[in-house]
Amino acid sequence: MVVAGPPSAGKTAVIKNMIRHLGGRAKAAYLKIDVVAAFEDEELRAEFGIPTKKVYSGDLCPDHMGIMVVRDAIDWAEGEGADVLILESAGLCLRCTPYITGSLGICVVSALSGTRAPLKMAPMIALSDACIVTKTDLISQAEKEVFRESIRRVSPEMDIVETNAVQGTGLRHLYRLMDSAGAAEDSPAAELRGSPPLGVCTVCIGKKDIGWQSHFGVIRRIEDADNVYRGE
Amino acid sequence: MIERNAKITITVHPGTSKGGELENFDPIDINPGDTISIVGPTGSGKTAFINDIEVFAQGDTVTGRRIDFNGEAPPDEFSRDPARKPVAMITQNTKCLADLTVREFLDMHASIRGSAGEGMAERALDLANGFTGEKIDARFKMSSLSGGQTRSLMIADAVAISDAPILLLDEIENAGIFRDAVIATLRSLERAVIFVTHDPYVSMISDRRIVMRDGRVESVLRPRDSEREALASVRGMDEALSRVRERIRAGEVITGGGAL
């Protein structure tokens, strides 16, 4: 199960509820991908006694890192005797979607991020199986409804679950999705659901010059910088 | 959304206490027009009780309670789609985050209702102004409203635009609203209201009082006329305190025992 979402959206709080829901019925393993620092693995190991691991992407894009290591991670989880691997993204540019075919993809978005936020995170929402909206206890009924409409504009059929993830309220539908999820494809056929804009570009390799004149590969001038990504 | 005139009943079935023992109460029916207060010490499970109602718990919350809608498990979208669910919850934390005027906020909400939303914004504003003494102007910024104005507007918005038949109000009584006006209006509009409260006056004007302890419902009281005399004197004290509060706000020094 892949859990993606912006920093501080409440991904880990949602994951804690997921692990609680699995209870004694299925053993979970957890992998956190982050850039320079992560503590969630230690937190979850201490709280639930499950095998956890973290991977720092350092100079690499964290979603790129996630894509590189996910097969190894499945092997690791199996080696630990886990039935379910929960993979938590770093959640940075929100353009890449680390969801994988044949496994559950969960997007976590905070209701505090503003009513138009879902439109900015379109690919991350559109390619998920369910969108969990957290912190809904803090906002007005009006904004809750407008937030929901924004998600529907990105993905009209999206499964939306509203929750106060710290209390774990309202997650019944997520649990149902978890229970009905089949085994992940571990065949070579499993792949990313969307095509991320990954590339070994001049910025990726550490060139610090600014302006398109100093770069090669995919470049944009200001007048043709309107390549808007609209989802798969 | 529920038909406005449709008769609805929400039923709370017992769950378990923090210690795991079964709650001992007859299922609690909540109908439009009811006023219920939830009382008990801090940490006794008051907020958990209304959270159960808000999410239509099906034995899947910490309390293990089950909430029925018209005698059966409610449809799934009730607990997931705020536009469909018949319950609106307003807490002290409930805020409008967007940088909008009152007019824009209400229009934004009403627009989701499509054609049914017409005129709702005005109605909500009128209602809100009946709940607070500090006049709310449509041109005010949401972020500049006082606590009392915000709470009044949220309640009015839930009634007029969300059209929720059941309101859950979590400790909002200290926020400068006319509690009598809110309760009278909600009764006249056939809405049920459940207060989580520490306010003696709100507790006493409710039809029913649910007493919480250690995470469980300890008793459900219907004091009715037995409290009538006490209510009159509590109302007097409450009014006296309100007057003193207003005078303190106005910068007066309160002297002499006759102030009350």
Side-chain angles (χ1 to χ4, degrees), chain A residues 176-232:
Chain A
R176 226 175 280 158
L177 284 177
M178 288 172 66
D179 294 344
S180 61
E185 293 177 29
D186 56 356
S187 68
E191 59 178 17
L192 291 175
R193 292 193 192 175
S195 30
L198 297 174
V200 179
C201 75
T202 42
V203 180
C204 292
I205 61 170
K207 207 161 155 39
K208 290 185 174 171
D209 311 57
I210 55 168
W212 60 269
Q213 297 88 342
S214 315
H215 294 269
F216 56 86
V218 181
I219 58 167
R220 291 280 186 282
R221 294 170 304 163
I222 195 161
E223 59 267 34
D224 48 27
D226 62 350
N227 263 348
V228 178
Y229 178 80
R230 292 195 171 80
E232 302 297 313

Short mmCIF file of all heavy atoms in Angstrom, two decimals, chain A residues 176-232:
data_model
loop_
_atom_site.label_atom_id
_atom_site.label_comp_id
_atom_site.label_asym_id
_atom_site.label_seq_id
_atom_site.Cartn_x
_atom_site.Cartn_y
_atom_site.Cartn_z
N ARG A 176 -12.31 -0.56 4.69
CA ARG A 176 -13.01 -1.45 3.77
C ARG A 176 -12.16 -1.66 2.50
O ARG A 176 -12.05 -2.76 1.99
CB ARG A 176 -14.37 -0.86 3.42
CG ARG A 176 -15.48 -1.87 3.50
CD ARG A 176 -16.81 -1.22 3.26
NE ARG A 176 -17.31 -0.54 4.45
CZ ARG A 176 -18.22 0.44 4.41
NH1 ARG A 176 -18.68 0.87 3.26
NH2 ARG A 176 -18.64 0.98 5.52
N LEU A 177 -11.58 -0.55 2.00
CA LEU A 177 -10.72 -0.67 0.82
C LEU A 177 -9.52 -1.56 1.10
O LEU A 177 -9.12 -2.38 0.28
CB LEU A 177 -10.22 0.71 0.40
CG LEU A 177 -11.19 1.64 -0.31
CD1 LEU A 177 -10.53 2.99 -0.58
CD2 LEU A 177 -11.64 1.02 -1.63
N MET A 178 -8.94 -1.38 2.31
CA MET A 178 -7.79 -2.20 2.68
C MET A 178 -8.16 -3.67 2.69
O MET A 178 -7.43 -4.52 2.19
CB MET A 178 -7.27 -1.80 4.06
CG MET A 178 -6.57 -0.46 4.11
SD MET A 178 -6.20 0.02 5.83
CE MET A 178 -5.01 -1.22 6.31
N ASP A 179 -9.35 -3.96 3.29
CA ASP A 179 -9.76 -5.35 3.44
C ASP A 179 -10.03 -6.00 2.08
O ASP A 179 -9.87 -7.20 1.93
CB ASP A 179 -11.02 -5.43 4.31
CG ASP A 179 -10.74 -5.01 5.74
OD1 ASP A 179 -9.54 -4.95 6.11
OD2 ASP A 179 -11.69 -4.74 6.49
N SER A 180 -10.48 -5.17 1.12
CA SER A 180 -10.83 -5.77 -0.17
C SER A 180 -9.65 -5.76 -1.14
O SER A 180 -9.75 -6.28 -2.25
CB SER A 180 -12.03 -5.05 -0.78
OG SER A 180 -11.71 -3.69 -0.98
N ALA A 181 -8.52 -5.14 -0.73
CA ALA A 181 -7.37 -5.09 -1.63
C ALA A 181 -6.76 -6.49 -1.75
O ALA A 181 -6.56 -7.17 -0.76
CB ALA A 181 -6.33 -4.11 -1.10
N GLY A 182 -6.48 -6.90 -2.97
CA GLY A 182 -5.88 -8.21 -3.19
C GLY A 182 -4.38 -8.15 -2.95
O GLY A 182 -3.84 -7.11 -2.56
N ALA A 183 -3.71 -9.26 -3.20
CA ALA A 183 -2.25 -9.28 -3.06
C ALA A 183 -1.62 -8.44 -4.17
O ALA A 183 -2.13 -8.40 -5.28
CB ALA A 183 -1.75 -10.71 -3.14
N ALA A 184 -0.55 -7.75 -3.83
CA ALA A 184 0.14 -6.91 -4.81
C ALA A 184 0.75 -7.79 -5.90
O ALA A 184 1.16 -8.92 -5.65
CB ALA A 184 1.21 -6.09 -4.13
N GLU A 185 0.77 -7.24 -7.11
CA GLU A 185 1.45 -7.96 -8.19
C GLU A 185 2.95 -7.87 -7.92
O GLU A 185 3.47 -6.78 -7.79
CB GLU A 185 1.23 -7.25 -9.53
CG GLU A 185 -0.18 -7.27 -10.03
CD GLU A 185 -0.30 -6.46 -11.32
OE1 GLU A 185 0.70 -6.38 -12.06
OE2 GLU A 185 -1.37 -5.89 -11.54
N ASP A 186 3.60 -9.04 -7.84
CA ASP A 186 5.05 -8.93 -7.71
C ASP A 186 5.72 -9.40 -9.01
O ASP A 186 6.90 -9.57 -9.09
CB ASP A 186 5.56 -9.70 -6.49
CG ASP A 186 5.15 -11.15 -6.54
OD1 ASP A 186 4.40 -11.54 -7.46
OD2 ASP A 186 5.56 -11.91 -5.65
N SER A 187 4.87 -9.59 -10.01
CA SER A 187 5.39 -10.00 -11.30
C SER A 187 6.08 -8.79 -11.95
O SER A 187 5.88 -7.66 -11.53
CB SER A 187 4.26 -10.46 -12.19
OG SER A 187 3.46 -9.35 -12.52
N PRO A 188 6.87 -9.04 -12.98
CA PRO A 188 7.52 -7.92 -13.65
C PRO A 188 6.49 -6.94 -14.26
O PRO A 188 6.84 -5.85 -14.66
CB PRO A 188 8.34 -8.60 -14.76
CG PRO A 188 8.47 -10.01 -14.33
CD PRO A 188 7.26 -10.33 -13.53
N ALA A 189 5.21 -7.35 -14.28
CA ALA A 189 4.20 -6.49 -14.89
C ALA A 189 3.87 -5.27 -14.03
O ALA A 189 3.34 -4.28 -14.52
CB ALA A 189 2.94 -7.29 -15.16
N ALA A 190 4.15 -5.34 -12.70
CA ALA A 190 3.82 -4.22 -11.83
C ALA A 190 4.63 -3.01 -12.26
O ALA A 190 5.83 -3.10 -12.50
CB ALA A 190 4.12 -4.58 -10.38
N GLU A 191 3.94 -1.89 -12.38
CA GLU A 191 4.64 -0.68 -12.82
C GLU A 191 3.98 0.55 -12.21
O GLU A 191 2.95 0.44 -11.54
CB GLU A 191 4.60 -0.60 -14.35
CG GLU A 191 3.19 -0.58 -14.89
CD GLU A 191 3.12 -0.44 -16.41
OE1 GLU A 191 4.15 -0.69 -17.06
OE2 GLU A 191 2.06 -0.08 -16.91
N LEU A 192 4.57 1.70 -12.48
CA LEU A 192 3.99 2.94 -11.99
C LEU A 192 2.67 3.19 -12.70
O LEU A 192 2.52 2.87 -13.86
CB LEU A 192 4.93 4.12 -12.28
CG LEU A 192 6.22 4.15 -11.49
CD1 LEU A 192 7.08 5.31 -12.00
CD2 LEU A 192 5.94 4.33 -10.01
N ARG A 193 1.74 3.79 -11.97
CA ARG A 193 0.45 4.08 -12.60
C ARG A 193 0.54 5.25 -13.57
O ARG A 193 -0.17 5.33 -14.55
CB ARG A 193 -0.57 4.44 -11.53
CG ARG A 193 -0.92 3.26 -10.68
CD ARG A 193 -2.14 3.56 -9.86
NE ARG A 193 -2.28 2.54 -8.84
CZ ARG A 193 -3.19 2.56 -7.91
NH1 ARG A 193 -4.06 3.56 -7.85
NH2 ARG A 193 -3.26 1.60 -7.02
N GLY A 194 1.37 6.21 -13.25
CA GLY A 194 1.48 7.37 -14.12
C GLY A 194 2.91 7.51 -14.60
O GLY A 194 3.81 6.85 -14.08
N SER A 195 3.13 8.35 -15.58
CA SER A 195 4.51 8.56 -16.01
C SER A 195 5.04 9.83 -15.36
O SER A 195 4.55 10.91 -15.62
CB SER A 195 4.59 8.66 -17.53
OG SER A 195 3.40 9.21 -18.03
N PRO A 196 6.00 9.67 -14.47
CA PRO A 196 6.54 10.83 -13.77
C PRO A 196 7.49 11.61 -14.69
O PRO A 196 8.05 11.04 -15.62
CB PRO A 196 7.33 10.23 -12.62
CG PRO A 196 7.24 8.76 -12.76
CD PRO A 196 6.67 8.44 -14.09
N PRO A 197 7.67 12.88 -14.44
CA PRO A 197 8.52 13.71 -15.28
C PRO A 197 9.98 13.54 -14.87
O PRO A 197 10.68 14.53 -14.63
CB PRO A 197 8.02 15.12 -14.99
CG PRO A 197 7.59 15.06 -13.58
CD PRO A 197 7.06 13.67 -13.36
N LEU A 198 10.43 12.30 -14.76
CA LEU A 198 11.79 12.10 -14.31
C LEU A 198 12.76 12.25 -15.47
O LEU A 198 12.46 11.88 -16.59
CB LEU A 198 11.95 10.69 -13.72
CG LEU A 198 11.11 10.40 -12.48
CD1 LEU A 198 11.26 8.94 -12.10
CD2 LEU A 198 11.51 11.29 -11.33
N GLY A 199 13.92 12.73 -15.23
CA GLY A 199 14.92 12.81 -16.27
C GLY A 199 16.23 13.18 -15.63
O GLY A 199 16.27 13.82 -14.57
N VAL A 200 17.31 12.73 -16.22
CA VAL A 200 18.60 13.13 -15.67
C VAL A 200 18.95 14.45 -16.34
O VAL A 200 19.51 14.49 -17.42
CB VAL A 200 19.66 12.05 -15.92
CG1 VAL A 200 21.00 12.49 -15.36
CG2 VAL A 200 19.23 10.75 -15.29
N CYS A 201 18.54 15.52 -15.71
CA CYS A 201 18.71 16.82 -16.33
C CYS A 201 19.91 17.52 -15.72
O CYS A 201 20.52 17.06 -14.77
CB CYS A 201 17.45 17.65 -16.15
SG CYS A 201 17.25 18.30 -14.51
N THR A 202 20.22 18.64 -16.27
CA THR A 202 21.40 19.36 -15.81
C THR A 202 21.25 19.86 -14.38
O THR A 202 22.23 19.96 -13.66
CB THR A 202 21.67 20.54 -16.76
OG1 THR A 202 20.42 21.16 -17.07
CG2 THR A 202 22.31 20.07 -18.05
N VAL A 203 20.00 20.13 -13.98
CA VAL A 203 19.77 20.55 -12.59
C VAL A 203 19.96 19.34 -11.67
O VAL A 203 20.61 19.43 -10.63
CB VAL A 203 18.37 21.16 -12.41
CG1 VAL A 203 18.15 21.58 -10.97
CG2 VAL A 203 18.17 22.35 -13.34
N CYS A 204 19.40 18.19 -12.09
CA CYS A 204 19.51 16.97 -11.28
C CYS A 204 20.98 16.62 -11.01
O CYS A 204 21.30 16.10 -9.94
CB CYS A 204 18.86 15.79 -11.99
SG CYS A 204 17.08 15.91 -12.10
N ILE A 205 21.85 16.87 -11.98
CA ILE A 205 23.23 16.45 -11.78
C ILE A 205 24.07 17.52 -11.09
O ILE A 205 25.28 17.40 -10.97
CB ILE A 205 23.90 16.02 -13.11
CG1 ILE A 205 23.92 17.17 -14.10
CG2 ILE A 205 23.21 14.80 -13.69
CD1 ILE A 205 24.75 16.90 -15.33
N GLY A 206 23.42 18.58 -10.64
CA GLY A 206 24.13 19.50 -9.76
C GLY A 206 24.59 20.80 -10.39
O GLY A 206 25.32 21.57 -9.75
N LYS A 207 24.18 21.08 -11.61
CA LYS A 207 24.58 22.34 -12.25
C LYS A 207 23.77 23.48 -11.61
O LYS A 207 22.53 23.41 -11.55
CB LYS A 207 24.27 22.25 -13.74
CG LYS A 207 25.12 23.10 -14.64
CD LYS A 207 25.02 22.54 -16.06
CE LYS A 207 25.28 23.50 -17.19
NZ LYS A 207 26.30 24.46 -17.08
N LYS A 208 24.45 24.49 -11.09
CA LYS A 208 23.73 25.53 -10.33
C LYS A 208 23.46 26.80 -11.13
O LYS A 208 22.83 27.73 -10.62
CB LYS A 208 24.52 25.89 -9.07
CG LYS A 208 24.51 24.77 -8.04
CD LYS A 208 25.20 25.17 -6.76
CE LYS A 208 25.04 24.09 -5.72
NZ LYS A 208 25.88 24.35 -4.54
N ASP A 209 23.93 26.85 -12.34
CA ASP A 209 23.71 28.05 -13.15
C ASP A 209 22.21 28.28 -13.34
O ASP A 209 21.43 27.35 -13.39
CB ASP A 209 24.33 27.87 -14.54
CG ASP A 209 25.74 27.37 -14.47
OD1 ASP A 209 25.97 26.28 -13.85
OD2 ASP A 209 26.64 28.05 -14.98
N ILE A 210 21.81 29.54 -13.47
CA ILE A 210 20.40 29.82 -13.71
C ILE A 210 20.21 30.32 -15.14
O ILE A 210 21.14 30.85 -15.76
CB ILE A 210 19.81 30.81 -12.69
CG1 ILE A 210 20.61 32.11 -12.65
CG2 ILE A 210 19.75 30.19 -11.31
CD1 ILE A 210 19.93 33.21 -11.90
N GLY A 211 19.00 30.17 -15.66
CA GLY A 211 18.71 30.58 -17.03
C GLY A 211 18.87 29.42 -17.99
O GLY A 211 19.79 28.61 -17.86
N TRP A 212 17.97 29.32 -18.94
CA TRP A 212 17.97 28.18 -19.87
C TRP A 212 19.23 28.14 -20.74
O TRP A 212 19.63 27.09 -21.22
CB TRP A 212 16.71 28.19 -20.73
CG TRP A 212 16.52 29.42 -21.59
CD1 TRP A 212 15.85 30.55 -21.24
CD2 TRP A 212 17.02 29.64 -22.91
NE1 TRP A 212 15.88 31.46 -22.25
CE2 TRP A 212 16.60 30.93 -23.30
CE3 TRP A 212 17.78 28.87 -23.80
CZ2 TRP A 212 16.92 31.48 -24.54
CZ3 TRP A 212 18.09 29.43 -25.05
CH2 TRP A 212 17.67 30.72 -25.41
N GLN A 213 19.86 29.31 -20.90
CA GLN A 213 21.04 29.38 -21.75
C GLN A 213 22.16 28.47 -21.24
O GLN A 213 22.99 28.00 -22.01
CB GLN A 213 21.57 30.82 -21.83
CG GLN A 213 20.60 31.82 -22.47
CD GLN A 213 19.63 32.45 -21.46
OE1 GLN A 213 19.44 31.93 -20.36
NE2 GLN A 213 19.02 33.56 -21.85
N SER A 214 22.17 28.23 -19.90
CA SER A 214 23.27 27.46 -19.30
C SER A 214 22.98 25.97 -19.26
O SER A 214 23.77 25.20 -18.73
CB SER A 214 23.52 27.94 -17.87
OG SER A 214 23.52 29.33 -17.81
N HIS A 215 21.77 25.56 -19.72
CA HIS A 215 21.40 24.16 -19.57
C HIS A 215 21.14 23.49 -20.91
O HIS A 215 21.04 24.16 -21.93
CB HIS A 215 20.16 24.06 -18.68
CG HIS A 215 20.42 24.50 -17.27
ND1 HIS A 215 20.82 23.63 -16.28
CD2 HIS A 215 20.39 25.72 -16.69
CE1 HIS A 215 21.01 24.30 -15.16
NE2 HIS A 215 20.77 25.58 -15.38
N PHE A 216 21.06 22.17 -20.86
CA PHE A 216 20.65 21.44 -22.06
C PHE A 216 19.70 20.33 -21.65
O PHE A 216 19.49 20.11 -20.47
CB PHE A 216 21.87 20.88 -22.81
CG PHE A 216 22.75 19.99 -21.97
CD1 PHE A 216 22.46 18.64 -21.84
CD2 PHE A 216 23.87 20.51 -21.32
CE1 PHE A 216 23.27 17.83 -21.07
CE2 PHE A 216 24.67 19.69 -20.54
CZ PHE A 216 24.38 18.34 -20.41
N GLY A 217 19.11 19.65 -22.62
CA GLY A 217 18.09 18.65 -22.29
C GLY A 217 16.73 19.32 -22.36
O GLY A 217 16.43 20.04 -23.32
N VAL A 218 15.90 19.10 -21.34
CA VAL A 218 14.57 19.73 -21.34
C VAL A 218 14.72 21.17 -20.85
O VAL A 218 15.00 21.40 -19.68
CB VAL A 218 13.59 18.96 -20.44
CG1 VAL A 218 12.23 19.62 -20.47
CG2 VAL A 218 13.50 17.51 -20.88
N ILE A 219 14.57 22.14 -21.73
CA ILE A 219 14.66 23.54 -21.31
C ILE A 219 13.38 24.27 -21.66
O ILE A 219 12.61 23.84 -22.51
CB ILE A 219 15.88 24.25 -21.96
CG1 ILE A 219 15.80 24.18 -23.49
CG2 ILE A 219 17.20 23.69 -21.45
CD1 ILE A 219 16.78 25.10 -24.18
N ARG A 220 13.14 25.35 -20.96
CA ARG A 220 11.96 26.17 -21.21
C ARG A 220 12.36 27.62 -21.19
O ARG A 220 13.07 28.06 -20.28
CB ARG A 220 10.91 25.98 -20.10
CG ARG A 220 10.24 24.64 -20.06
CD ARG A 220 9.13 24.52 -21.10
NE ARG A 220 8.41 23.27 -20.92
CZ ARG A 220 8.87 22.09 -21.33
NH1 ARG A 220 10.03 22.02 -21.93
NH2 ARG A 220 8.16 21.00 -21.10
N ARG A 221 11.88 28.37 -22.17
CA ARG A 221 11.98 29.83 -22.09
C ARG A 221 10.69 30.33 -21.49
O ARG A 221 9.68 29.62 -21.47
CB ARG A 221 12.18 30.41 -23.49
CG ARG A 221 13.50 30.01 -24.13
CD ARG A 221 13.52 30.42 -25.58
NE ARG A 221 12.38 29.83 -26.28
CZ ARG A 221 11.97 30.25 -27.47
NH1 ARG A 221 12.56 31.28 -28.06
NH2 ARG A 221 10.95 29.69 -28.06
N ILE A 222 10.67 31.58 -21.03
CA ILE A 222 9.49 32.03 -20.29
C ILE A 222 8.25 31.99 -21.17
O ILE A 222 7.15 31.67 -20.71
CB ILE A 222 9.74 33.44 -19.68
CG1 ILE A 222 8.66 33.73 -18.63
CG2 ILE A 222 9.79 34.54 -20.75
CD1 ILE A 222 9.02 34.84 -17.67
N GLU A 223 8.42 32.26 -22.45
CA GLU A 223 7.23 32.33 -23.29
C GLU A 223 6.67 30.96 -23.69
O GLU A 223 5.54 30.87 -24.16
CB GLU A 223 7.46 33.20 -24.55
CG GLU A 223 8.58 32.74 -25.45
CD GLU A 223 9.90 33.41 -25.10
OE1 GLU A 223 10.16 33.69 -23.92
OE2 GLU A 223 10.68 33.67 -26.03
N ASP A 224 7.47 29.88 -23.47
CA ASP A 224 6.86 28.58 -23.77
C ASP A 224 6.81 27.68 -22.53
O ASP A 224 6.81 26.47 -22.62
CB ASP A 224 7.56 27.89 -24.94
CG ASP A 224 9.08 27.89 -24.81
OD1 ASP A 224 9.56 27.93 -23.66
OD2 ASP A 224 9.77 27.87 -25.83
N ALA A 225 6.74 28.33 -21.39
CA ALA A 225 6.71 27.57 -20.14
C ALA A 225 5.28 27.23 -19.71
O ALA A 225 4.94 27.32 -18.55
CB ALA A 225 7.41 28.35 -19.03
N ASP A 226 4.43 26.87 -20.66
CA ASP A 226 3.03 26.64 -20.29
C ASP A 226 2.60 25.20 -20.48
O ASP A 226 1.47 24.91 -20.80
CB ASP A 226 2.12 27.59 -21.08
CG ASP A 226 2.21 27.34 -22.57
OD1 ASP A 226 3.12 26.58 -22.99
OD2 ASP A 226 1.37 27.89 -23.31
N ASN A 227 3.55 24.29 -20.30
CA ASN A 227 3.22 22.87 -20.44
C ASN A 227 2.52 22.36 -19.19
O ASN A 227 3.15 21.78 -18.32
CB ASN A 227 4.50 22.07 -20.66
CG ASN A 227 4.71 21.81 -22.13
OD1 ASN A 227 3.81 22.02 -22.94
ND2 ASN A 227 5.91 21.38 -22.48
N VAL A 228 1.23 22.59 -19.10
CA VAL A 228 0.52 22.20 -17.89
C VAL A 228 0.19 20.71 -17.94
O VAL A 228 -0.35 20.22 -18.92
CB VAL A 228 -0.78 23.02 -17.74
CG1 VAL A 228 -1.53 22.57 -16.50
CG2 VAL A 228 -0.45 24.49 -17.65
N TYR A 229 0.52 20.00 -16.86
CA TYR A 229 0.19 18.58 -16.77
C TYR A 229 -1.25 18.44 -16.31
O TYR A 229 -1.64 19.04 -15.32
CB TYR A 229 1.13 17.90 -15.78
CG TYR A 229 0.82 16.45 -15.60
CD1 TYR A 229 1.25 15.52 -16.54
CD2 TYR A 229 0.07 16.00 -14.52
CE1 TYR A 229 0.95 14.19 -16.39
CE2 TYR A 229 -0.25 14.68 -14.38
CZ TYR A 229 0.21 13.77 -15.32
OH TYR A 229 -0.11 12.44 -15.16
N ARG A 230 -2.04 17.68 -17.03
CA ARG A 230 -3.46 17.59 -16.68
C ARG A 230 -3.88 16.20 -16.20
O ARG A 230 -5.06 15.88 -16.15
CB ARG A 230 -4.33 18.02 -17.86
CG ARG A 230 -4.17 19.49 -18.15
CD ARG A 230 -5.26 20.02 -19.05
NE ARG A 230 -5.19 21.47 -19.12
CZ ARG A 230 -4.34 22.13 -19.88
NH1 ARG A 230 -3.49 21.49 -20.64
NH2 ARG A 230 -4.32 23.46 -19.88
N GLY A 231 -2.95 15.35 -15.87
CA GLY A 231 -3.32 14.04 -15.33
C GLY A 231 -3.40 13.01 -16.44
O GLY A 231 -3.47 13.34 -17.61
N GLU A 232 -3.43 11.74 -16.03
CA GLU A 232 -3.42 10.66 -17.04
C GLU A 232 -4.80 10.57 -17.68
O GLU A 232 -5.79 10.64 -16.99
CB GLU A 232 -3.07 9.35 -16.33
CG GLU A 232 -1.74 9.37 -15.62
CD GLU A 232 -0.55 9.56 -16.54
OE1 GLU A 232 -0.48 8.89 -17.57
OE2 GLU A 232 0.31 10.40 -16.21
#
